[in-house]
């Protein structure tokens, strides 16, 4: 069996119990060395063969999986955060389907969840935003035109921008073009949950400068939105005057 396992954002104790168990029984682990904390490899058993996918192609990864499967070995493909976000797992799964090899996905804590915890933030505040947009600037991977940052920014929803730390000047311009006031609150979270995590609170216009001043050039998420401000409404769920399935309103 092949397991695609979400490693979580970095801290070794933020992997799921299931993910840790799969790592512990794997004979072969292929991990994304550029982003996954190598400390997680301490959960592997003795004799486990470990590959760093940073220097491998898709074809290399699949051929390691094929060979190990022929030898009846248990395989873990360890992805950073949750594999469903920019994880490039679909192309792996499609090739495994073609070879008739079974696989399962074990979810993980995405870095944006780890970063929200570092910010001690609620991303979905009543009367601020009830929507979270996870997106990126285009790099070598293009972004569909309808999802261009300024068009998404027009919603004024909570935005989390992945994979864009080297393009922050352009990001700022597009956010402002989309309707964000230059002084809207923004945050940069670098290496969420790692020992050298950094949380920088700034404004949309200062995103690039704040990143430079803090030496942040990679492995960061940019958060934008009113949820970083002070205005919001109380929840209805915990409002004393509101009745719901599990609680009567107090008189
Ligand atoms: N599957 C991953 C995302 C992979 S894309 C997930 O669910 O988090 C890689 C990008 O994720 C990085 O460029 C960075 O923007 C972000 N990232 C990954 N780990 C991070 C961390 N610990 N802190 C902040 N950003 C992180």
């Amino acid at each position: 069996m092949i397991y695609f396992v979400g490693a979580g954002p970095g801290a070794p104790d933020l992997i799921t119990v299931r993910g840790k168990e799969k790592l512990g029984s794997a004979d072969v682990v292929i991990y994304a060395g550029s982003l996954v904390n190598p400390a997680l490899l301490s959960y592997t058993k003795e004799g486990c063969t470990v590959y760093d996918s940073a220097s491998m192609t898709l074809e290399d990864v699949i051929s390691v999986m094929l060979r190990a499967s022929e030898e009846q070995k248990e395989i873990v493909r360890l992805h950073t955060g949750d594999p469903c976000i920019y994880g490039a797992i679909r192309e792996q799964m499609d090739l495994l389907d073609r070879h008739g090899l079974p696989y399962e996905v074990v979810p993980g804590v995405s870095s944006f969840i780890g970063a929200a915890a570092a910010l001690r933030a609620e991303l979905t505040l009543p009367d601020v935003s009830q929507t979270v947009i996870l997106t990126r600037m285009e790099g070598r991977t293009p972004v569909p035109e309808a999802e261009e940052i300024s068009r998404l920014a027009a919603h004024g929803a909570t935005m989390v921008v992945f994979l864009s730390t080297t393009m922050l000047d352009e990001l700022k311009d597009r956010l402002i073009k989309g309707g964000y006031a230059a002084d809207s609150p923004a945050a940069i979270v670098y290496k969420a949950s790692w020992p050298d995590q950094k949380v920088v609170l700034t404004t949309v216009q200062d995103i690039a400068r704040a990143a430079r001043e803090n030496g942040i050039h990679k492995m960061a998420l940019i958060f934008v939105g009113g949820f970083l401000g002070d205005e919001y409404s109380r929840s209805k769920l915990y409002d004393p005057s509101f009745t719901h399935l599990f609680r009567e309103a107090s008189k």
Side-chain angles (χ1 to χ4, degrees):
M1 185 59 119
I2 299 163
Y3 296 98
F4 291 93
V5 175
D13 56 349
L14 285 182
I15 193 171
T16 65
V17 174
R18 188 183 299 180
K20 186 179 173 191
E21 280 171 8
K22 297 302 178 204
L23 266 182
S25 55
D27 304 297
V28 173
V29 171
I30 308 169
Y31 80 113
S34 53
L35 285 165
V36 170
N37 189 344
L40 280 149
L41 299 174
S42 68
Y43 297 143
T44 58
K45 65 182 182 193
E46 215 166 294
C48 173
T49 311
V50 176
Y51 295 85
D52 178 353
S53 62
S55 60
M56 296 165 81
T57 62
L58 169 62
E59 287 70 21
D60 294 337
V61 169
I62 298 299
S63 82
V64 167
M65 289 176 171
L66 287 175
R67 218 176 326 127
S69 297
E70 275 163 18
E71 294 164 8
Q72 310 297 320
K73 290 183 169 160
E74 206 172 290
I75 304 155
V76 164
R77 175 71 169 108
L78 191 61
H79 283 273
T80 178
D82 185 281
C84 81
I85 309 283
Y86 306 117
I89 53 167
R90 175 65 189 268
E91 57 191 26
Q92 299 175 64
M93 296 190 296
D94 281 351
L95 285 175
L96 294 178
D97 282 340
R98 218 178 286 165
H99 290 282
L101 293 184
Y103 52 82
E104 265 177 36
V105 179
V106 179
V109 176
S110 179
S111 60
F112 85 93
I113 307 279
L119 284 165
R120 295 181 298 179
E122 179 174 347
L123 303 182
T124 52
L125 285 176
D127 288 330
V128 175
S129 175
Q130 293 292 289
T131 304
V132 181
I133 296 176
L134 306 180
T135 189
R136 62 171 297 171
M137 297 274 285
E138 67 271 12
R140 264 167 298 179
T141 306
V143 170
E145 211 179 302
E147 296 169 23
E148 193 273 311
I149 297 275
S150 65
R151 293 174 74 174
L152 297 179
H155 292 279
T158 297
M159 279 179 82
V160 187
V161 187
F162 287 73
L163 292 161
S164 304
T165 321
T166 56
M167 293 169 265
L168 296 181
D169 280 307
E170 178 67 20
L171 174 67
K172 166 205 68 167
D173 290 343
R174 295 195 192 181
L175 289 169
I176 292 172
K177 183 177 164 215
Y180 274 104
D183 62 353
S184 313
I188 307 168
V189 181
Y190 168 75
K191 290 184 96 172
S193 86
W194 289 63
D196 48 347
Q197 164 186 295
K198 284 183 195 169
V199 176
V200 180
L201 299 176
T202 180
T203 58
V204 167
Q205 69 190 341
D206 279 335
I207 291 173
R209 188 163 44 142
R212 269 195 300 274
E213 281 173 7
N214 287 279
I216 299 172
H217 309 289
K218 59 179 171 79
M219 235 179 136
L221 292 167
I222 313 300
F223 287 80
V224 195
F227 79 96
L228 290 163
D230 297 325
E231 305 285 324
Y232 67 96
S233 301
R234 270 187 61 155
S235 70
K236 295 282 182 259
L237 190 60
Y238 296 106
D239 184 332
S241 66
F242 186 74
T243 296
H244 61 73
L245 200 54
F246 302 104
R247 183 171 49 75
E248 281 288 316
S250 44
K251 299 282 176 305

